[in-house]
Amino acid sequence: MIEVKDVHKSFNDNEVIKGVSLSLNEGEVVTILGPSGSGKTTFLRCLNFLEEADSGSITVNDHEVVFGQASANDVLQLRRSMGMVFQNYALFLNKTAKQNIMEPMVIVHGYSTQQAEARAEELLRVIGLPDHGDYYPSQLSGGQKQRIGIARALAVHPTVLLFDEPTAALDPELVGEVLKVMKAVKDAGVAMIVVTHEMQFAYEVSNRVIFMADGVIVEEGTPQQIFESPQEARTKTFLNRFTVN
Amino acid sequence: MNSFFQPHLIWQYFPDVLSALPVTLLLTLVSTIIGVIVGAGIAYVRMENTPFLKQIAAVFTSFIRGTPILIQMFLVYYGLPFFLGYVGIDADDVNALVYLFITYGLNMAAFLSEIIRAALESVPATQREAALTSGYTKRQMYFKIIFPQAVIIAMPSFATMVISLLQDTSLAFTIGVIDVVGKAKALGTATFHTVEAYISAMIIFIILSFILERLFRWIEKRSNYSSRQMPIVATNPVIPVIETPKTS
């Protein structure tokens, strides 16, 4: 139900995405791995128009949007069905944790304040922060902020959640609590596209793993296929540094 | 007429000088409002790089910041009616205060535009991205996320500008407007006790500035969310399984 076709993106004369396609079914988790500069983050950001791809298309729930020809309304509708979790959490600094979760519900999706508040409180419980609703981001640790960021994206029932290296800015002790929440997101049946370096997570939680390098998909398969029997030399080189249990 | 310094006169003149306070306050308030509105416009034009307007804004700002406010005042007061006369508008009956609103308003606008622009650019780019990817329209993003944060960032500099403007209004008497300083001058001319009269005016300015400073500091404290003293509670390591049904 999510189809991304043949994305191309150049920065000036430098082509960073050279025809990448991806499809995702409901509830599926796809992890994109790759070295820095492979284009994986740029690709992810093209999906919700944070970057403007030069060509290709994305179809979510039978609604197709063509890169380069999308109207502002197309982009808005697309974004309303996709959530994003950022490497630096990107919580609204002028709102409390609970308000962060509530705002998109009320402002973008027309929930009433009571509905939004009830759902926000429920999500706070679920991510393990029931008493932190009135704290501002400046008073929270990175792991807490990221969990709230996930809750904020999740609150509006997105079709797919995009994760841009969600744990890259966290120290190792805090990574675990965020990965736990991400597993729970999968269990709740939300499709996820995750760009990450957390190999263990990719192995355990993904339905599919994509390895990207130099702007193309080098190899794609199940976690078992990619981690245990990679076919391409490039993939092997990359994975050599990681041992998976 | 005793020309020795007589301290008791300071208090004697006080009510009289104080009676002109509304003029000073009005001047400060209206000029600030004009400054914010026009300043925001200038900031917008410079940030959006609007081709023709951006150059006008740059020249205007340089001029304002590069000339004494007294000269700006005379140019507006003596020059504007002249030019308006060319276009057939009669500016004879216009209150001198209006010229001051224009002068001080434009002056504030030039300085505030930089403060506004800097504040807007200080809001982290990821705030925009988080809002946009959540499905906010640009308008929603600006009014709900960007502007509130920019206002708090700009507040200290804005406070400085307003208090500075308060002192600058003291030049108003040069075109005959009777504000606090004008009153003091008139009083001094009439009684030859100019020093006492000006000290009286000075006290009013000190008190006003103090009040303004306190007011702005209170505003900053109340709206500042990045320095509250709530303790960071330890993270909860145990996370229950999500059982969120997909209801809306």
Side-chain angles (χ1 to χ4, degrees):
Chain A
M1 30 97 87
I2 297 144
E3 247 288 355
V4 181
K5 292 196 195 124
D6 203 32
V7 177
H8 286 264
K9 168 76 185 161
S10 301
F11 287 106
N12 298 323
D13 291 326
N14 185 22
E15 196 177 21
V16 287
I17 305 175
K18 305 169 184 169
V20 175
S21 304
L22 165 68
S23 68
L24 203 62
N25 290 317
E26 197 170 321
E28 258 196 315
V29 175
V30 168
T31 304
I32 305 180
L33 305 175
S36 321
S38 55
K40 56 191 195 300
T41 296
T42 310
F43 172 72
L44 193 76
R45 287 164 63 91
C46 283
L47 297 183
N48 59 5
F49 283 81
L50 279 182
E51 306 283 353
E52 300 225 8
D54 299 323
S55 66
S57 74
I58 175 169
T59 309
V60 177
N61 290 332
D62 299 320
H63 180 64
E64 189 186 26
V65 179
V66 178
F67 296 119
Q69 295 170 26
S71 71
N73 195 46
D74 284 337
V75 175
L76 206 60
Q77 293 311 315
L78 190 67
R79 283 173 170 168
R80 287 177 178 186
S81 62
M82 294 168 110
M84 188 152 192
V85 177
F86 297 85
Q87 181 173 333
N88 58 8
Y89 338 121
L91 292 185
F92 300 137
L93 302 173
N94 56 328
K95 311 272 176 194
T96 63
K98 188 156 79 168
Q99 288 166 345
N100 259 278
I101 302 174
M102 283 173 63
E103 272 244 337
M105 283 192 261
V106 174
I107 291 179
V108 179
H109 296 264
Y111 285 51
S112 75
T113 315
Q114 296 93 306
Q115 286 174 313
E117 188 160 12
R119 180 143 170 82
E121 282 172 3
E122 180 198 344
L123 282 169
L124 280 170
R125 259 195 307 278
V126 151
I127 61 176
L129 296 170
D131 303 317
H132 288 71
D134 294 328
Y135 283 49
Y136 283 91
S138 58
Q139 298 162 318
L140 298 166
S141 75
Q144 293 169 325
K145 283 190 273 198
Q146 194 58 298
R147 285 187 267 156
I148 292 165
I150 296 174
R152 176 180 65 179
L154 199 58
V156 294
H157 299 295
T159 308
V160 56
L161 265 189
L162 308 178
F163 290 80
D164 182 7
E165 306 211 30
T167 57
L170 297 172
D171 73 61
E173 288 174 355
L174 301 176
V175 167
E177 67 196 40
V178 173
L179 294 180
K180 275 210 186 88
V181 174
M182 288 172 71
K183 281 191 194 130
V185 170
K186 176 191 179 176
D187 294 335
V190 179
M192 295 159 69
I193 305 178
V194 183
V195 170
T196 187
H197 291 296
E198 292 290 328
M199 301 298 166
Q200 194 72 28
F201 176 84
Y203 181 73
E204 286 175 12
V205 180
S206 321
N207 298 104
R208 243 184 316 134
V209 172
I210 292 176
F211 175 67
M212 260 183 87
D214 299 317
V216 291
I217 294 180
V218 172
E219 202 169 340
E220 191 175 342
T222 66
Q224 287 70 27
Q225 288 171 335
I226 297 291
F227 284 104
E228 287 163 19
S229 47
Q231 301 295 305
E232 302 290 329
R234 190 78 184 78
T235 320
K236 290 181 193 164
T237 320
F238 181 77
L239 292 175
N240 261 338
R241 278 169 293 162
F242 304 97
T243 48
V244 176
N245 300 327
Chain B
M1 206 76 65
N2 193 333
S3 47
F4 280 118
F5 178 77
Q6 296 187 14
H8 75 92
L9 285 177
I10 299 174
W11 309 115
Q12 192 174 315
Y13 293 160
F14 206 74
D16 209 0
V17 178
L18 197 62
S19 71
L21 183 62
V23 178
T24 297
L25 288 179
L26 184 68
L27 204 44
T28 310
L29 182 67
V30 173
S31 305
T32 302
I33 293 172
I34 294 176
V36 169
I37 296 172
V38 177
I42 296 174
Y44 176 79
V45 157
R46 296 187 88 160
M47 287 174 74
E48 291 290 308
N49 269 313
T50 329
F52 186 52
L53 293 173
K54 147 178 109 151
Q55 276 91 331
I56 297 182
V59 169
F60 168 77
T61 309
S62 291
F63 171 75
I64 297 287
R65 283 154 59 137
T67 54
I69 196 168
L70 191 63
I71 292 184
Q72 294 165 22
M73 195 190 304
F74 288 156
L75 280 177
V76 170
Y77 184 64
Y78 296 112
L80 197 55
F82 190 61
F83 283 113
L84 288 180
Y86 265 131
V87 223
I89 303 175
D90 180 10
D92 274 352
D93 288 329
V94 176
N95 192 327
L97 258 184
V98 174
Y99 295 103
L100 289 177
F101 290 154
I102 295 174
T103 309
Y104 286 118
L106 291 181
N107 190 283
M108 275 296 262
F111 287 97
L112 285 181
S113 72
E114 274 307 291
I115 292 174
I116 292 171
R117 194 187 54 78
L120 285 171
E121 290 180 357
S122 293
V123 178
T126 48
Q127 295 292 293
R128 291 185 58 121
E129 294 187 349
L132 291 175
T133 55
S134 299
Y136 285 47
T137 61
K138 267 200 172 174
R139 207 157 174 268
Q140 289 169 329
M141 172 187 77
Y142 276 117
F143 283 95
K144 294 265 164 197
I145 307 297
I146 308 283
F147 291 163
Q149 292 185 42
V151 164
I152 294 173
I153 292 172
M155 198 57 75
S157 305
F158 178 70
T160 305
M161 287 303 307
V162 173
I163 295 174
S164 180
L165 172 69
L166 176 67
Q167 323 308 342
D168 285 341
T169 61
S170 57
L171 293 170
F173 77 94
T174 58
I175 59 170
V177 170
I178 305 299
D179 69 326
V180 168
V181 174
K183 227 8 160 132
K185 181 173 193 288
L187 217 48
T189 311
T191 66
F192 294 98
H193 286 280
T194 46
V195 177
E196 292 91 324
Y198 280 127
I199 292 179
S200 202
M202 181 191 79
I203 292 173
I204 292 174
F205 276 98
I206 290 178
I207 294 175
L208 261 182
S209 303
F210 178 75
I211 292 174
L212 276 178
E213 224 171 307
R214 272 316 188 87
L215 177 68
F216 279 114
R217 213 179 308 166
W218 178 81
I219 293 176
E220 274 173 58
K221 271 221 159 64
R222 273 222 64 191
S223 50
N224 200 337
Y225 39 73
S226 56
S227 60
R228 301 233 173 128
Q229 290 307 307
M230 284 166 81
I232 294 181
V233 178
T235 63
N236 187 339
V238 178
I239 298 169
V241 173
I242 288 186
E243 283 170 297
T244 325
K246 271 205 230 164
T247 53
S248 23

